[in-house]
Amino acid sequence: MVEKKYLLVTSLILTISVFLGGIFIGWTLDHYRADELLENIKQSELTTESFIVEESFIDHYGGNRCELLNSRVYAMQNLIHTTGEQLSKWGEGDSFQSRDFDYLKRKYIISEIRFFILLDDLQNSCGSDYNTILYFYEKDKDSSAKQGHVLDELSKDYDDLIVLSIDRYYSDEPLVELLVSEYGITVTPTIIINSKIKLEGLTSRAQIESAIK
Amino acid sequence: MHPITILMYCLSFLSLYLSIFWLSLLYIEEKTMKEKPEKIDYFPKVSVILPAHNQEKIIAKVLRSVLSLDYPKDKLEVIAVNDDSTDRTGKIIEEIRKKDKRLKVIHRHPGFVGKAAAVNEGLKIATGELIGVLDGDDPSTAKCALKLMVPYFKDKKLGAVMGAIKVWKPKKLIEKLQWFEYIFVTVMRRLLASLNALYVTPGGAFSLYRKSVLDKEGPFDESSLTEDLEMAMRLQHKGYKIKLEIDCVNHTKVPDTLQGFHRQRVRWYRGWLHTVYKYRDMILNRKYGFLGMVQIPVSIFLPILLIFVTIFIISSLIKWAYDWIILTGLGIYPEFSFFKEVFTTPNIIILTFTCTLILAGMYMLSRSQKILQENWRYPLIIMPYFTLYQLLLSSYWLVAASYEVLRIKKKW
């Protein structure tokens, strides 16, 4: 009977211990995820930096700039895609370390925009075959999520399609507002194809396909 | 942190807490579950009341089983209340009465009055110190040894004792699912009884009441949809104890159609809502110990939670179907990405919460089967029992609550 009397309390202590253990594991996993993300972003920064140096080298000593640009696109695209996926998964979970998350998200957006400028440059100076989509979305908006699905499917099917997602209402990074005013974004989702075609609202796969071809 | 995530954490905590609590209690109680009260040298007279309405097919079998209970013959009286039967029920009872004078009969005509009123009729002529109530529609053949139950009444504060219930020959899926439920619930009730928090004395379990307590506290509530639940709560409210004898096993016939099941569960749940409202002063009242402070609040909270979970699951499925249609319209043929989407972080919390309950439930079920000396039956139905069946029960809570809100007339 004595055991039973304290059962509620002992169960509570046990539950709190298990729960605290769970929170600790979650916190550790968050750290691990943050480290992994940071590593990806660092890699992307290094790639860009190395590219800039190589570009200066070619300017100075001569060489094929377009070949260099082309060789960098694939590596950077992969890094940005992976980082974006990790960030969106992390963002869904209301992480314990929101400050880390905000910092990494901002870094990611800067990397994306830098990559976008490189692609634009590649297209203008080398006339490459890449199709670039700037996708302006709104967090927690159903139509944006659906547009994301469509773009995900498309990027799986088209190797030359590069999709860069920008949170329309991300206010921490002034560069986002610059892009928004540059392309006159008023609704979400909006997609900009190759800096020229603007498609507003939920857009079907067929519409995008006809625009990129 | 998002409020929904905080709520999810709270639910996970609560489910883990309750699981640990019940598993610990089971661990402590399992060793003593089979212990019996001290034997008695005096056998009080027992009156078994058996309400019957159009049960010509089984009434003879039930009556014979009650009359042959292992109890001194001169201390057993059986009162069959023929509640406005239009078939041969009355005649069959009369034929048996001619052969066994311990059987008393009340023929109620005209107008079917229902179980509570029929039992109350029987109570008026009962001469026993203890009153047994058995559902007349049970083909259970009361095998419960009264000798196991009666010694509990040595405790003067004891108001009632109930037996264990098992499902009678389950054949259809819906019966097999209920078979699991009855096994599980019986052991849970035995655990509740150990905390003096048992709040139901179903007729199908051959419940035994102290006549003096019924005389003092009043007969069964004829306006209640669940008169046995109301009586048990009334006994607890008045400070009487209720025990469960795990070795006194009765079998009951359960609904074998979804329609019958629906009708039964909605009646039970509406009855529960009414009873809890009637004895609302017990909620969070320290005077009622574990029952008032934990069990009743959890019993109120759980259906509400189940209703929300049901709404959440149904709306998620509708949304998933809607998304699928929209995406298909957009030229995307999405793979069945349900599991992919389930493993997002907020859903992982829901999964943890659900898995904790399911694992604890499965362990409890396996122990319950051992305690009630049952083999592992129907292994393929275990998972549906812990998932789809619970969802079905949740939807009945939703229906019962809606009926109450819409004030739909109560039906027995």
Side-chain angles (χ1 to χ4, degrees):
Chain A
M1 199 61 202
V2 177
E3 283 170 316
K4 264 195 278 179
K5 197 177 167 185
Y6 296 109
L7 200 56
L8 277 171
V9 181
T10 45
S11 302
L12 184 66
I13 293 167
L14 200 58
T15 310
I16 290 171
S17 316
V18 173
F19 228 69
L20 287 178
I23 289 172
F24 177 74
I25 292 169
W27 183 76
T28 315
L29 282 175
D30 258 6
H31 256 292
Y32 173 75
R33 274 192 292 197
D35 287 348
E36 205 180 3
L37 266 171
L38 203 58
E39 192 56 42
N40 274 347
I41 288 169
K42 275 181 189 165
Q43 278 296 329
S44 144
E45 279 177 336
L46 272 176
T47 312
T48 318
E49 215 171 304
S50 148
F51 166 75
I52 292 164
V53 176
E54 276 177 331
E55 208 181 21
S56 314
F57 184 88
I58 288 168
D59 284 347
H60 198 77
Y61 297 103
N64 192 338
R65 188 167 173 272
C66 293
E67 208 172 274
L68 168 70
L69 276 167
N70 265 319
S71 68
R72 290 291 170 182
V73 167
Y74 185 71
M76 286 186 75
Q77 184 195 356
N78 266 350
L79 274 170
I80 284 188
H81 183 73
T82 318
T83 314
E85 267 195 339
Q86 283 173 330
L87 264 176
S88 71
K89 269 184 195 160
W90 194 8
E92 282 163 359
D94 277 327
S95 138
F96 295 108
Q97 300 174 46
S98 57
R99 268 197 299 178
D100 282 356
F101 176 77
D102 291 341
Y103 168 73
L104 292 171
K105 185 171 177 179
R106 193 172 169 189
K107 281 210 129 207
Y108 167 70
I109 286 177
I110 295 169
S111 304
E112 264 191 318
I113 296 173
R114 192 152 51 185
F115 183 46
F116 173 69
I117 295 165
L118 281 177
L119 286 167
D120 212 34
D121 195 15
L122 181 69
Q123 228 154 16
N124 292 333
S125 54
C126 307
S128 79
D129 294 333
Y130 287 103
N131 282 297
T132 319
I133 290 183
L134 260 188
Y135 162 46
F136 291 89
Y137 69 92
E138 188 177 337
K139 213 179 148 206
D140 300 329
K141 193 177 174 184
D142 205 42
S143 55
S144 289
K146 286 192 178 72
Q147 190 66 73
H149 271 292
V150 174
L151 292 170
D152 266 352
E153 288 291 313
L154 273 171
S155 61
K156 272 183 213 162
D157 296 345
Y158 291 88
D159 290 338
D160 62 341
L161 182 67
I162 296 165
V163 180
L164 298 167
S165 313
I166 309 282
D167 182 353
R168 158 70 187 89
Y169 293 101
Y170 187 71
S171 53
D172 290 0
E173 179 48 57
L175 272 172
V176 172
E177 264 317 303
L178 267 176
L179 277 177
V180 165
S181 62
E182 170 70 23
Y183 292 106
I185 307 298
T186 51
V187 291
T188 51
T190 294
I191 54 178
I192 308 289
I193 301 173
N194 297 328
S195 300
K196 287 169 195 144
I197 306 160
K198 182 161 128 183
L199 298 170
E200 289 182 323
L202 198 48
T203 311
S204 72
R205 180 190 171 107
Q207 282 173 286
I208 300 170
E209 275 176 328
S210 65
I212 57 176
K213 274 174 183 170
Chain B
M1 209 181 271
H2 197 279
I4 297 278
T5 313
I6 296 173
L7 182 72
M8 289 299 163
Y9 276 115
C10 293
L11 289 180
S12 303
F13 184 86
L14 192 70
S15 66
L16 186 65
Y17 179 44
L18 289 176
S19 304
I20 289 175
F21 173 76
W22 285 111
L23 290 174
S24 311
L25 185 63
L26 178 68
Y27 177 76
I28 295 169
E29 278 295 306
E30 200 175 343
K31 298 165 201 161
T32 57
M33 223 170 243
K34 298 271 175 178
E35 280 179 12
K36 307 290 172 221
E38 272 180 59
K39 281 190 177 173
I40 47 167
D41 39 20
Y42 153 75
F43 289 101
K45 187 171 180 182
V46 177
S47 303
V48 179
I49 302 174
L50 203 101
H53 173 70
N54 290 345
Q55 279 138 25
E56 61 181 9
K57 285 182 186 163
I58 53 166
I59 192 68
K61 191 178 172 189
V62 178
L63 274 174
R64 280 192 200 106
S65 73
V66 177
L67 287 163
S68 59
L69 278 170
D70 180 23
Y71 201 69
K73 287 202 179 315
D74 58 324
K75 298 286 185 182
L76 183 68
E77 150 182 279
V78 181
I79 302 166
V81 185
N82 172 26
D83 189 2
D84 196 31
S85 295
T86 50
D87 61 359
R88 292 184 60 250
T89 304
K91 279 184 185 168
I92 297 168
I93 296 172
E94 283 299 340
E95 279 165 21
I96 296 171
R97 185 169 68 142
K98 280 176 197 162
K99 292 173 196 159
D100 198 325
K101 296 295 171 198
R102 293 176 300 161
L103 175 62
K104 291 180 180 175
V105 187
I106 299 172
H107 294 286
R108 285 208 78 271
H109 292 292
F112 170 64
V113 288
K115 189 184 157 193
V119 173
N120 287 341
E121 287 278 328
L123 271 176
K124 287 176 193 165
I125 61 162
T127 55
E129 282 177 56
L130 303 176
I131 304 292
V133 178
L134 195 66
D135 286 344
D137 57 352
D138 274 336
S140 60
T141 59
K143 281 177 188 158
C144 168
L146 270 176
K147 282 178 182 171
L148 285 177
M149 296 175 89
V150 170
Y152 283 94
F153 285 93
K154 269 182 109 175
D155 181 349
K156 297 291 173 203
K157 287 301 288 175
L158 191 86
V161 179
M162 65 175 279
I165 329 176
K166 289 182 187 174
V167 171
W168 177 253
K169 293 182 179 171
K171 288 186 188 84
K172 294 183 184 171
L173 175 67
I174 189 81
E175 293 173 286
K176 288 172 183 170
L177 287 164
Q178 289 174 85
W179 181 85
F180 278 114
E181 185 187 20
Y182 277 67
I183 295 276
F184 187 81
V185 164
T186 293
V187 172
M188 282 297 284
R189 283 176 179 161
R190 171 63 183 78
L191 293 176
L192 279 174
S194 75
L195 297 166
N196 194 25
L198 186 56
Y199 56 89
V200 65
T201 47
F206 194 8
S207 300
L208 209 55
Y209 301 87
R210 196 189 292 276
K211 173 82 166 20
S212 59
V213 170
L214 295 183
D215 289 342
K216 191 179 168 196
E217 307 302 342
F220 286 90
D221 183 352
E222 293 173 18
S223 67
S224 175
L225 283 167
T226 45
E227 75 298 323
D228 39 13
L229 175 70
E230 192 282 333
M231 176 56 82
M233 280 288 269
R234 200 190 318 168
L235 294 181
Q236 285 282 6
H237 189 250
K238 298 289 180 187
Y240 297 101
K241 291 181 197 168
I242 301 171
K243 291 284 177 194
L244 186 145
E245 173 47 57
I246 204 108
D247 285 331
C248 174
V249 180
N250 290 280
H251 289 83
T252 191
K253 185 156 171 44
V254 292
D256 58 357
T257 61
L258 208 55
Q259 195 187 8
F261 185 64
H262 167 94
R263 210 167 41 233
Q264 183 201 53
R265 293 305 161 122
V266 172
R267 179 175 68 80
W268 283 5
Y269 297 160
R270 291 186 78 182
W272 164 242
L273 292 172
H274 281 268
T275 307
V276 165
Y277 183 72
K278 189 172 176 181
Y279 297 104
R280 58 191 176 279
D281 61 310
M282 292 173 82
I283 301 167
L284 296 175
N285 189 336
R286 286 179 72 91
K287 187 179 150 192
Y288 299 102
F290 184 83
L291 180 63
M293 294 303 288
V294 181
Q295 190 53 32
I296 297 178
V298 167
S299 309
I300 296 168
F301 174 72
L302 215 58
I304 295 171
L305 177 67
L306 287 176
I307 287 172
F308 279 110
V309 169
T310 311
I311 293 171
F312 173 77
I313 292 173
I314 292 172
S315 61
S316 300
L317 286 173
I318 292 171
K319 191 183 175 303
W320 185 84
Y322 170 76
D323 284 355
W324 200 89
I325 292 165
I326 296 288
L327 285 172
T328 311
L330 290 170
I332 298 295
Y333 299 98
E335 58 209 70
F336 187 75
S337 58
F338 180 73
F339 288 102
K340 207 168 120 191
E341 280 171 26
V342 155
F343 288 101
T344 55
T345 313
N347 288 349
I348 275 181
I349 305 168
I350 301 175
L351 269 182
T352 316
F353 155 71
T354 316
C355 289
T356 310
L357 285 180
I358 289 178
L359 286 174
M362 283 179 95
Y363 180 75
M364 290 274 287
L365 184 66
S366 73
R367 300 312 302 165
S368 304
Q369 283 180 316
K370 190 166 183 276
I371 291 162
L372 289 169
Q373 292 159 346
E374 286 286 349
N375 297 322
W376 268 98
R377 283 204 236 172
Y378 324 121
L380 295 177
I381 300 172
I382 292 173
M383 271 323 277
Y385 169 71
F386 280 107
T387 51
L388 295 176
Y389 187 68
Q390 303 309 318
L391 199 65
L392 186 66
L393 296 185
S394 312
S395 66
Y396 290 144
W397 275 110
L398 186 62
V399 174
S402 311
Y403 279 12
E404 285 306 307
V405 171
L406 298 170
R407 295 181 182 277
I408 289 174
K409 204 182 162 201
K410 292 186 278 181
K411 272 188 208 163
W412 221 92

